[in-house]
Amino acid sequence: MKRKFDLYAMTWRLPIIFWQLLFFVGPLLFMVAISFFVVKNYRMTEAFEMVNWQKMLSRGYFWDSYWYTIFIAGISTTVAMLLAFPASFALAFRASDNLRRWAIFLLIIPFFTSYLVRTFSWYVILAESGVVNAMLGQIGLGPFKMLNTHFGTVIGYLTLTLPLVVILQTVTMANVDKTLIEAARNLGCKPLATIWRVVLPLSKTGLIVAALFCFILSFGDFVAPFYLGGSQEPTLPILILDTTKSGQQWPRAAVVAIMMMATLFTIAFAAIALAYRKGGAR
Amino acid sequence: MTEPLVTFRNVKKHFGEFVAVREMDLDIHAGEFLAIMGSSGCGKTTTLRMLAGLEAPTSGEIRIGGDLMNEVKPHERETPLVWQSLALFPFLSARENVEFGLKMRGVGKEERKRRALEWLDRMEIGEFAERNITTLSGGQKQRVALARSLVMEPKMLLLDEPLSALDANLVIRMQAVLTRLQKELGITFVYVTHSQSEAFAMADRVVIMSQGEIAQVGSPKDIYRAPANRFVAEFVGRNNILSGTVASLDGETVTISTPSGAFVATAPDTARSVGADATFVVSADLVSVSREEPTGENRVLCTLISEEFVGSMVTLFLESADGHEFKVQMQERDLIELDLHNDDQIWLSWAVQNAHVLDHE
Ligand SMILES: Nc1ncnc2c1ncn2[C@@H]1O[C@H](COP(=O)(O)OP(=O)(O)O)[C@@H](O)[C@H]1O
Ligand SMILES: [Mg+2]
């Protein structure tokens, strides 16, 4: 009786690292193991063979998908960062503290509803007979095909990331010491140039982290390319789905997943290193 | 009289309902060291910011070199400011900080570097040129901030409590550095401070501000000897302030009867009438102390309450029969000769020309 109680208490006192091992590192190692399994007669069997790695990494369609995913996530990140910047800048420097609080609160609200539902709502707006084309039709334009295009994918990604990017950028830039902007002006810096000379260097870390988040979310997203992008150019998450469906190829799907994770690790590592690199001399 | 470099004419600054600066008239002359002094929140920084174009006056005119500056943007002015917080760019090295203004003015790379290093050397921190700002000490940062402004070769340098973040012994050193620089360069310094000793030690002229208004402008000596009003008299400290009514008038002098007795003081040429309220001040270091009753118009018998020593100077705190507090400042060795003890009765006296009637309350 006493022993059991101790064990219970111990379990809760175990450091967070244990849970990390159990629920993150464990499954990850298991996935690595699976990538060496083989599938025979639609059944996965334990093995240690390089065949999945050889097959996947030598296929043109894998690399097409790989570079396409990086490309479209990169484009989406760039667009999100650029679209968000003017709004964040205004919220950080022009808005009152009160307005900024409300804006951040409102920007969190989209996360209350399912991303999937929000994505579906774009159907109504972007469809060939949807709201946008109807309006363009009024002035004699269109209809344009927007669903099942790269554009659709990017719109989907932005649905997921844009509010988050605005929040992160705003919070970062709101912390910029306004005296430094005035000091630059006092030394002859034109108003717009202060963005480049002062605001960006001071908010570099936060902006890179915002971009990194945006990229990670887009890179791993399945919903946008599937429902709005039409998946004719499959991104890696869609490739994973297709691979598991076709002939129960879980091991090959694991290869794709590991490649994705390795890519994200590399990019995240480089981004954080860049974010915290010291400007100027030591 | 040459044209002043800067003129404030009826300048007001409101922040919504709040009036930060009201009806300011001020001339600043080329080459002078002007201190703007006042307690926290009296509008010193706001005044300086208007001069730098960082705030626009709500009404009135500010001219620099005769040109109306109200609408001129900060980056179009030559009014470098040394910030209270220093406001150095943490992402740049010391040298890059100093180069910043030159870069904005389109000075070439080599020239920029040469001039920045020249100024860093002049400020005796040449060896730290390539160091990141965040690794420098308070005094070194202070010098970088000065170099960053002075490298622009301005006609006028604005300083907002630049020494308030330094420790006391460093403050004295930097005061000397600043006054010497100002003399060597011959440019105008507009120096904001809340410290009376700093303003009086460094400046040619001092502007005393109170609640958005100028209380008095004058040389440290003038303000110290003849404060214009009660606020300044109290602010400057060290003053004995006595209030009463005018008993008689005689040209330049006025006899004022106070609860401590009747005293004769000099009055500036403002109209006064017998029976009117009047206040006069006597600086604490111009009051003499003696055992025997002195001759002369102004004397009062007091009881010694306490003594306060600062260096070789001592301040005596005394009380007259009616309970008014008097202050006397003297050399410590003079005090030893007098052999005074607390509760001793002693005579205070001062010359008529050292007692000044305030212009207004
Ligand atoms: N941007 C502003 N908005 C509202 N009030 C301000 C602003 N700047 C200064 N004030 C107010 O104006 C008064 C004078 O400020 P300031 O010039 O900074 O005083 P100080 O003499 O201490 O430098 C203060 O009461 C301050 O709160
Ligand atoms: Mg101030």
Side-chain angles (χ1 to χ4, degrees), chain A residues 179-180 182-191 197-198 201-202 278-282, chain B residues 49 74-75 79-81 83 87-91 96 101 103-105 130-132 148:
Chain A
T179 313
L180 292 179
E182 291 188 329
R185 301 269 279 124
N186 180 248
L187 291 167
C189 191
K190 294 195 181 76
R197 297 274 174 213
V198 183
L202 283 175
K278 287 266 182 295
R282 284 136 315 274
Chain B
R49 286 173 61 84
H75 65 274
T79 49
L81 176 56
W83 303 73
L88 294 169
F89 303 118
F91 46 88
E96 289 165 330
K103 197 169 175 175
M104 296 300 107
R105 295 271 186 262
E130 301 306 325
R131 286 265 291 271
N132 192 294
R148 184 176 72 170

Side-chain angles (χ1 to χ4, degrees), chain A residues 197-253:
Chain A
R197 297 274 174 213
V198 183
V199 177
L200 289 186
L202 283 175
S203 42
K204 187 182 78 173
T205 303
L207 294 183
I208 290 178
V209 169
L212 178 63
F213 252 107
C214 185
F215 185 85
I216 290 173
L217 286 174
S218 306
F219 189 76
D221 180 45
F222 160 79
V223 173
F226 193 79
Y227 291 104
L228 299 177
S231 69
Q232 75 281 62
E233 183 93 77
T235 61
L236 291 177
I238 289 171
L239 191 63
I240 291 177
L241 186 78
D242 289 351
T243 315
T244 55
K245 274 193 202 151
S246 61
Q248 293 292 311
Q249 272 297 356
W250 291 94
R252 287 182 195 179

Side-chain angles (χ1 to χ4, degrees), chain B residues 213-245:
Chain B
E213 277 176 313
I214 293 182
Q216 190 171 2
V217 185
S219 70
K221 204 174 153 198
D222 289 347
I223 292 180
Y224 177 50
R225 295 290 178 233
N229 50 47
R230 181 177 278 272
F231 172 81
V232 176
E234 283 173 356
F235 194 80
V236 170
R238 297 202 288 184
N239 276 313
N240 295 294
I241 306 170
L242 289 125
S243 294
T245 50

